[in-house]
Amino acid sequence: MGYELRVVRESPLAFAELARAIAPAGFGLRGDDEIVAAHRGGTHAVARWQGHLVGEPGSDWQVAQLVRLSAALGARLVGEDGEVYALRDGVIEVVTGGRAMEIGKFEEIIEAGPAAWTP
């Protein structure tokens, strides 16, 4: 199991509400629990439903998609250690301990696609 990021909302998210909200935002459902996004003719996993949305990103593209999904649902994207991922002025940031660190420009990350991180 990798590092998990959770989509957190003030009010609980029901699966029916999730299903209605994701399509207009450009996401789809695969099976009963997987949220996917398209890139260059393929679909790639972004998150899974477990009574709440959880993602285990393996690329900046997946983080960017999780940020986008969180925004579409009126939620925040929070890491296991309490850090918050957000989009500000076209740049994805992670905020931890009151400090913001840039991940990269949203549009460039989305265009680059879901290439996995390498060690």
Side-chain angles (χ1 to χ4, degrees):
M1 176 184 275
Y3 191 80
E4 289 187 343
L5 300 179
R6 297 174 318 281
V7 175
V8 178
R9 283 181 20 140
E10 295 301 319
S11 59
L13 180 66
F15 184 77
E17 183 181 1
L18 168 73
R20 283 190 305 270
I22 63 171
F27 295 96
L29 276 173
R30 183 165 49 201
D32 292 338
D33 66 347
E34 194 170 45
I35 310 301
V36 297
H39 183 74
R40 295 193 178 136
T43 56
H44 306 274
V46 173
R48 67 186 179 286
W49 175 256
Q50 301 176 329
H52 57 281
L53 283 172
V54 176
E56 291 181 31
S59 70
D60 286 346
W61 182 87
Q62 287 172 311
V63 172
Q65 294 292 358
L66 283 164
V67 167
R68 191 167 70 87
L69 178 60
S70 296
L73 297 171
R76 294 177 299 129
L77 184 61
V78 180
E80 290 178 11
D81 297 325
E83 71 278 16
V84 176
Y85 295 76
L87 182 63
R88 187 171 61 125
D89 298 327
V91 175
I92 298 174
E93 296 180 331
V94 59
V95 179
T96 183
R99 299 186 71 200
M101 182 180 75
E102 290 186 3
I103 293 176
K105 293 181 180 178
F106 179 82
E107 292 300 327
E108 291 175 4
I109 291 170
I110 293 296
E111 180 61 30
W117 290 315
T118 55

